[in-house]
Amino acid sequence: MTDRVYPSSKPKDNNTNTKTTAAATPNRRLPPPPNKTTPTPTHTTTRHPYRPNLTTTRIGRRRHRSCACLCCFWSFLIIILLLLITAITGCIFYLLYHPHRPSFSLAALKISELNLTASDDTTRLTSNLNLTLSIKNPNKKITFYYNSIIVMCSSHDTIIAKGTYPNPITSKPNNITIIHSPLHITNLLLEPETVNKFRSDLKKKSGLPLTLVLDTEARVKFETIKTKKIGIRIKCEGIHSLIPKGGRNSSSVAANVDDAKCKLDLRIKIWKWTF
């Protein structure tokens, strides 16, 4: 007879199969453990980068631009108003007073002495002149007040005589004032080129060309208002004259002033410069 084989009554352990399966499967690489030497911070602080407020910046720029525009506008408006007031005042003044410049004319210029003395290769000049000047005020309601007048006579840009009229002058409306002033110079050393020009001109019929320059200060008065002093310069050109012969005892020679013209210019002084 055949022997029967009976299964064991003890059940199989599932853990054994699991271990066998785990042992059969190969081990996968796991990540390395954290480094224990570097401590992990318990609290982390996150700082956000600074970002300017664009709205506030734009508003500030707009305010700055608006303030600059307002300043420019008011400055321009004030300048326009000042110019307008000045123009209106000038028009009113012109309509009321009809102002005109005073006129200067050369009445006479006499030369009593003009000697060129040569010695030791040098030439010196000695001169004596007499000036008669006419000042006319063509205005009806304006008065001019002049300080002392400094007078210089020159030829070829060389001063040959000078003098001063020391008395103050009051030129009343519609009035002509005549002044007389002596001019002289002694032992003026001349350059050789200037001496040659003088001698060349004295050989001509017209004689020596002369120029008169007068410097003074003037005030203007209308009604009860008087302005400040203003520097003026009068320049007279177109004068020609011969020189007397015979030294000091000779008679004086009258210069030709028929073609003389006098021009008046204002002398405005700004700090150190005069224009």
Side-chain angles (χ1 to χ4, degrees):
M1 268 182 85
T2 307
D3 295 332
R4 292 182 180 180
V5 179
Y6 294 97
S8 176
S9 61
K10 188 178 181 181
K12 294 181 180 181
D13 192 2
N14 292 331
N15 293 331
T16 306
N17 295 333
T18 304
K19 291 180 180 179
T20 306
T21 307
T25 58
N27 295 331
R28 296 181 180 179
R29 291 184 180 180
L30 297 176
N35 191 1
K36 295 181 180 181
T37 58
T38 57
T40 305
T42 58
H43 300 284
T44 57
T45 304
T46 58
R47 295 183 179 180
H48 298 284
Y50 172 74
R51 296 179 180 178
N53 193 344
L54 298 179
T55 305
T56 307
T57 306
R58 290 174 181 174
I59 292 173
R61 290 179 180 176
R62 289 176 181 175
R63 289 179 179 176
H64 181 71
R65 290 178 182 175
S66 62
C67 291
C69 292
L70 284 175
C71 291
C72 293
F73 172 75
W74 284 110
S75 300
F76 181 76
L77 184 62
I78 291 171
I79 293 173
I80 293 297
L81 289 176
L82 290 176
L83 292 176
L84 185 61
I85 292 171
T86 304
I88 294 173
T89 305
C91 292
I92 294 173
F93 178 79
Y94 181 81
L95 293 175
L96 290 176
Y97 297 99
H98 295 283
H100 296 281
R101 284 189 174 189
S103 60
F104 294 78
S105 59
L106 190 59
L109 179 63
K110 294 183 179 181
I111 301 175
S112 58
E113 181 183 5
L114 202 153
N115 292 330
L116 297 174
T117 305
S119 63
D120 299 332
D121 297 332
T122 60
T123 303
R124 297 181 180 274
L125 174 67
T126 300
S127 64
N128 283 290
L129 292 78
N130 290 301
L131 170 68
T132 302
L133 188 69
S134 173
I135 304 174
K136 182 180 179 181
N137 183 3
N139 298 281
K140 296 180 180 180
K141 299 179 181 180
I142 298 176
T143 304
F144 294 100
Y145 297 91
Y146 302 97
N147 288 353
S148 59
I149 302 175
I150 300 173
V151 186
M152 292 176 289
C153 181
S154 63
S155 179
H156 297 292
D157 297 329
T158 301
I159 298 175
I160 62 172
K162 56 185 177 180
T164 302
Y165 185 81
N167 301 325
I169 304 168
T170 301
S171 182
K172 296 181 179 181
N174 289 328
N175 192 15
I176 297 176
T177 304
I178 304 295
I179 64 171
H180 303 276
S181 176
L183 311 175
H184 60 85
I185 204 165
T186 304
N187 292 329
L188 175 65
L189 182 62
L190 298 178
E191 297 291 335
E193 296 180 358
T194 305
V195 175
N196 293 333
K197 291 179 180 179
F198 283 179
R199 290 176 177 173
S200 177
D201 290 332
L202 292 175
K203 293 179 182 179
K204 300 177 182 178
K205 293 182 179 180
S206 58
L208 194 68
L210 302 175
T211 301
L212 283 173
V213 176
L214 299 90
D215 289 327
T216 185
E217 292 180 340
R219 286 184 177 183
V220 181
K221 180 183 177 182
F222 50 94
E223 300 296 338
T224 58
I225 301 174
K226 185 182 291 186
T227 65
K228 293 183 178 181
K229 294 180 181 179
I230 302 173
I232 60 173
R233 167 168 286 186
I234 303 96
K235 189 174 183 180
C236 301
E237 296 179 324
I239 310 167
H240 293 83
S241 177
L242 298 172
I243 63 173
K245 297 179 180 180
R248 296 181 180 178
N249 297 326
S250 61
S251 58
S252 60
V253 176
N256 184 6
V257 296
D258 294 337
D259 298 330
K261 294 182 180 180
C262 297
K263 182 181 178 182
L264 186 147
D265 294 320
L266 297 178
R267 303 274 291 173
I268 301 174
K269 187 175 182 180
I270 301 176
W271 197 29
K272 296 181 180 179
W273 296 276
T274 303
F275 302 94

